Each structure stands twice: as structure tokens, then as C-alpha cells.
Amino acid sequence: MNVLHKAPTEPAPGAIRHNGIDTDWWRGAVIYQIYPRSFQDSNGDGVGDLKGITQRLPYIASLGVDAIWISPFFKSPMLDFGYDVSDYRKIDPMFGTLADFDTLIAEAHRLGLKVIIDQVISHSSDQHPWFIESRQSRTNPRADWYVWADPRPDGSPPNNWLSIFGGSAWEWDTGRCQYYLHNFLTSQPDLNFHNPGVQDALLDAVRFWLERGVDGFRLDTVNFYVHSAGLENNPPLEREQRNASIAPAVNPYNYQDHLYDKNQPENLRFLKRFRSLLDEYPGTTAVGEVGDAQRGLDIVAQYTSGGDKVHMCYSFEFLSQEKPTPHRVREVIEAFEEKAPDGWSCWSFSNHDVVRHASRWADQVEDHEAFLKMTATLLLSLRGSVCLYQGEELGLTEAVLDFEDLQDPYGIRFWPTFRGRDGCRTPMVWSKDGANGGFSDAKPWLPVPPEHLHLAVSAQERSASLLSHYRKTLAFRARHPVFAKGAISFKEAGSDLLIFERSMNEHAILVAINMSGHPVEHSRDLDAYVAMEDAPTSGVLENGILKLPPYGAWFGSRRVEK
């Protein structure tokens, strides 16, 4: 048995509390992601809003999660659906008002839910007053708040950097006769983090939301904040090293090794400033999104180590097309534990940027629901925090939309080979009988797929449903703190069976998961374990032999001798 990471001994209350606040709540927390446009419409305009979220908070609390993460709701022209912010302190009218947000915060806290909100600070909208001023001249007070560069002598862009959304990462501005950097849409110019004034202004905006009572932030594209001031060309990436975990295979972005347009060491200094601000508000946290196809786990390790930068990060190891196997799961977890012995990861299988795993991994699976119950058990048993994406607990599949229904500029750009992100952003389904699944009385901004209606919340209030399994597994996780903060170690168990132990202090739990579609048996190193009656178990231990049905799981406990 290979012990990968030592669990902390039970800390004294003063080690994790500040004036009665649990400052360590985020470690092992389960966070429910809400995409606000698609969660619940309260005013009949076909778009979800803050009041709609507040209306549905009791449902989220009933799942047994610890926190919600709300994707952007800030003022925006919505060319990238909120990830192009034109005012960091205002709420877009389509979502409501600051008073609506304050009500949401109060109700979430009443229900025992923490509130995490997005911060999209790598770039802004080109309609942000900062950029409007910056592009006016080369000498105005905000002239260098964005990344500007002169053309090459032949008029071409200053280097070969590419945008994730296609084409050059440089856009010509006729007013300044310079190029500006945009890692995403041309309407999303990159802020210049080499300018301390930019950092100060962004941190002031973060403080605004801390003062309103938020419990944390999800940092969009956290490794994109700082570019190399030398503007060196990115080298090409060998074909065998390319993968489509960050950008679709048809996107030439994958053809470069992104050494200079992101992942710069100066970012660590800004993250320390960010953490210092959060530390002024005990109990707040941050989770960073790390987008890098070659060195994602290394960056997560850098950003979460030392206790002075980001509390936790997620990368795309389990958000890719590659289906999880016992070998793959062990490989990823061991790699992270080795690279970041004092870091912390946040694992997820689906979110607003990738094909839902109910389709990505389970489309060709014969027993679809059993497979999704297995992946839920797996995700909620790993060491780390967890992000669940709205509708994941219902088994919502990726919607296949007609071209005329697409809203995502990314999908429109690369259609039909890559259909974009709209398929994972269709409205939440609350009722199998209501109009538009209970999401809205009006025509929704994206259509509600008819095949989702039978998966609605109202249709899954039964003991054997996938939704019920999520609730039972979340309750089981909450009853046993070892899942939140315990160590993890793996056991050899063959190609279909994943076995690992979670341990903390004098308590250890063995987790055995059959990741295959056929029954498996195992009889090694089980004598010390007793079956846990409160576990979401489908396997049995008889006469020293563990028998697991297809996609089944078993949990056993033992006391650890000191």
C-alpha cells in the first residue's frame, strides 16, 4: 500500500477557527455550480436570474452540499454570456439588482450554504470604461492597463500567440495603431497585470463583494493573468503531445506550447496579494480554474502550495474526453499528491465549458444510470473538494442543438466539428410536466431538450433514482469527515476495480468501486474491514470475498492502530 498524503491530525479548534468561524470549511467541501441564465427564470423573460436562484435554494440545500458557485452575473454585453464584464461592481439587469443578490446571500446563509461567485479578471469587456479610456491614446492614465504592442515592420501582429476562440490573439486598433491582446474573443481584451494599478483596481472590486458577504471566489482562467513582457513566440508543440482538453482538436491553439502567453511566475506574486486580501475576511476562500493541456497539475501545485496563494484549484484531467478507469484515476490522484503534497485540488466531472459527462463518458454504456451512480460515488469519495454542475445529479445529457439555436460564439466559430458549449448550458428541468421543464413560462434563451423532461427533479423524487443516490452519497460523505480531509492510499485490484483507503486519525474507510459493466470479485486484504451499514453500497462481502455488481461499490471501515 502506497500512502500518498498524510492526513492532518485532528486540529485544535483554534487552528481552524477565527472568532467562531470555521476557516477550513472549504477543504473537502462539495460545491454546486449554478449557471444563472439556465437555472430558474422568475420574471418570464426566458433567462434565469438571481430571484430564481433564491427560489430554488431549498432544493440545493436538500442535496446536502456545502456551497454554491454562481457563474457571472455582472454587467456585460453578453457576447461571452457574462465572461465579458463591463462593470465589476454592478449586476446585469437581466439577472436582477444588488438588493436581489443581498437577499440571495441572506437566504443561502440561513440554509447553511456558503456562496462563491465568479471573478473574471484576466480580461474585461471592450465596453468596460477602463478599456474605452485605454484605447483613446497612448498617453492617457489607463493607456497601459491593457496589453498593447506595436506591429512588426510588415504590419503583422507582434508574435504568434493564438486565441482559444480561434485566430490570432492580437486585434488591431485603428485609434492607437497598435494591437491589443485577447486570449478569447476580440471583445475581451486582456488586462495588463504587470501594471500595479490594474491589480489594485481589481482587488478593490473583489473587496466590494467581500463586504457584501460572499464566502469565496472562483477565479476564471487564473493562469492567464500574466503574460511574458518580452512577447516571445510560443514554440510549436509536437503532434504526439497535443490534446484537446483545453481547446477542441480542430483549433490550432493546440499546436503551440504556451510558454509565454500564460503561466508566468509573476502570477504567484499577484495570487499572494489576492490571498492576503481574503485573509482579512476569515472563512473566505478561492478556487482557481487552471487551463493548460501540458502542465495543468504542476500549475495547480504551484498555486495551492504554501498556504499563501489560492486555497484550491481545478484543472481539466477529469473534464476531458478520456473515460475514467481505475488506472487513470489512480494516475491523476497520485500525480497531484506527488506534485502538491501541501496543495489542494477541487475535482469535477462536468461544468459549463465541457460536454456533460453523462454523454461524454456514458453515451455508449448499456446501463446508463448505474454508470452515473458509479461516477457520483467515485467523485464524492476522492481526496479533495468537489464541484457538481447543475443537472449532473439528474443525469442530464449533452443537448444536441440545431445551428440556428446556437448562442455560443465558440461553437458558431468551429461548427459543425465543434458545437460549442450550449449543449451543457440548456435550462435546468424541474418538472416533467410543466412548460419548458418548469424553468420559464416564456421561450427559454436556449431550448429545453425534450429528452431531459423525464429526468426532471419532479420525476426523480423516488428512492432508486440518480438524484436520490446523490443525496444518499452526499449525506454519507458528510457523516464521515475522513472523506473531506483524510489521507488517500490505493491498493492493487486489477484493471476493472478501483480500491483506495481514506484515513484520518484512528478511522479508515475502504472504498471499492467496480468501474466495469460486468461483475467482479476481490479477496485480498479485506479481513480488517467491516461493512458500513449507512453506506450507498451495492456490493457484499461474504466469507472474505467481495462481490460487486456492474458499476457497484462497497465501503468498509476499520480502526487504525496508533
Side-chain angles (χ1 to χ4, degrees), residues 136-154:
Q136 294 304 309
S137 70
R138 300 190 184 195
T139 58
N140 69 75
R142 291 193 172 92
D144 63 346
W145 277 42
Y146 291 82
V147 183
W148 295 94
D150 291 326
R152 293 174 178 174
D154 63 359

Side-chain angles (χ1 to χ4, degrees), residues 4 42 46 67 95 121 135 160-161 165 236 283 330 340 343 349 436 473 477 526 535-536 555:
L4 300 170
S42 72
F95 295 124
I121 59 177
R135 76 190 313 178
N160 69 346
W161 296 354
F165 284 178
R330 179 172 183 172
F349 290 167
N436 300 314
T473 307
R477 177 186 175 96
L526 298 173
F555 297 82

Side-chain angles (χ1 to χ4, degrees), residues 185-443:
L185 295 175
T186 59
S187 57
Q188 294 170 298
D190 271 51
L191 285 152
N192 180 16
F193 276 72
H194 291 288
N195 185 328
V198 171
Q199 295 189 20
D200 292 344
L202 291 170
L203 292 174
D204 282 345
V206 171
R207 185 183 294 276
F208 173 84
W209 295 104
L210 289 167
E211 289 290 330
R212 298 202 86 87
V214 303
D215 302 290
F217 303 96
R218 179 262 187 184
L219 302 180
D220 184 65
T221 59
V222 68
N223 58 314
F224 283 74
Y225 290 174
V226 182
H227 67 286
S228 172
L231 303 183
E232 300 93 334
N233 283 326
N234 284 327
L237 191 67
E238 296 296 330
R239 181 182 295 273
E240 59 271 15
Q241 294 181 279
R242 299 173 192 165
N243 69 68
S245 62
I246 304 303
V250 294
N251 191 338
Y253 186 86
N254 296 319
Y255 290 32
Q256 291 185 358
D257 190 1
H258 293 272
L259 294 180
Y260 300 111
D261 51 351
K262 57 185 179 180
N263 307 333
Q264 298 305 294
E266 295 93 332
N267 201 24
L268 299 177
R269 292 199 291 271
F270 173 74
L271 295 180
K272 289 179 180 180
R273 293 192 67 193
F274 193 96
R275 179 61 173 264
S276 293
L277 173 58
L278 293 190
D279 288 346
E280 295 179 30
Y281 298 81
T284 57
T285 191
V287 53
E289 176 199 29
V290 172
D292 191 273
Q294 275 67 54
R295 52 190 72 85
L297 288 179
D298 296 277
I299 297 167
V300 172
Q302 291 175 16
Y303 289 5
T304 63
S305 65
D308 60 350
K309 296 177 284 294
V310 182
H311 297 76
M312 50 186 167
C313 283
Y314 72 86
S315 52
F316 284 71
E317 275 68 27
F318 291 135
L319 292 169
S320 67
Q321 192 69 31
E322 184 175 357
K323 191 173 178 180
T325 63
H327 172 76
R328 173 63 175 163
V329 172
R330 179 172 183 172
E331 177 184 56
V332 170
I333 303 300
E334 285 186 341
F336 176 75
E337 299 290 348
E338 179 181 353
K339 294 173 185 294
D342 65 339
W344 197 259
S345 191
C346 186
W347 305 112
S348 57
F349 290 167
S350 286
N351 69 21
H352 65 293
D353 279 333
V354 301
V355 174
R356 287 182 176 273
H357 73 271
S359 292
R360 195 171 78 243
W361 295 338
D363 259 357
Q364 305 304 316
V365 174
E366 184 173 342
D367 193 338
H368 193 262
E369 185 170 295
F371 178 86
L372 293 179
K373 288 180 178 179
M374 179 274 291
T375 57
T377 301
L378 169 63
L379 180 60
L380 293 169
S381 299
L382 294 174
R383 175 176 167 84
S385 300
V386 173
C387 273
L388 304 178
Y389 181 47
Q390 65 179 50
E392 170 181 337
E393 74 278 14
L394 305 177
L396 296 189
T397 54
E398 185 80 357
V400 180
L401 304 179
D402 294 332
F403 182 79
E404 53 267 26
D405 289 324
L406 291 190
Q407 303 288 331
D408 182 15
Y410 201 7
I412 293 170
R413 172 73 172 79
F414 287 101
W415 175 276
T417 310
F418 173 66
R419 294 174 174 266
R421 301 162 296 177
D422 289 325
C424 65
R425 298 176 175 182
T426 54
M428 182 75 171
V429 283
W430 301 100
S431 170
K432 63 183 178 66
D433 300 316
N436 300 314
F439 165 71
S440 177
D441 294 330
K443 180 182 178 181

Side-chain angles (χ1 to χ4, degrees), residues 75 85-86 124-137 140 142-143 145-146 148 173 175-176 189 191:
K75 187 177 179 183
V85 179
S86 58
S124 76
S125 164
D126 62 358
Q127 297 182 31
H128 195 292
W130 297 345
F131 187 72
I132 292 173
E133 180 177 353
S134 184
R135 76 190 313 178
Q136 294 304 309
S137 70
N140 69 75
R142 291 193 172 92
W145 277 42
Y146 291 82
W148 295 94
D173 183 82
R176 288 182 52 147
L191 285 152

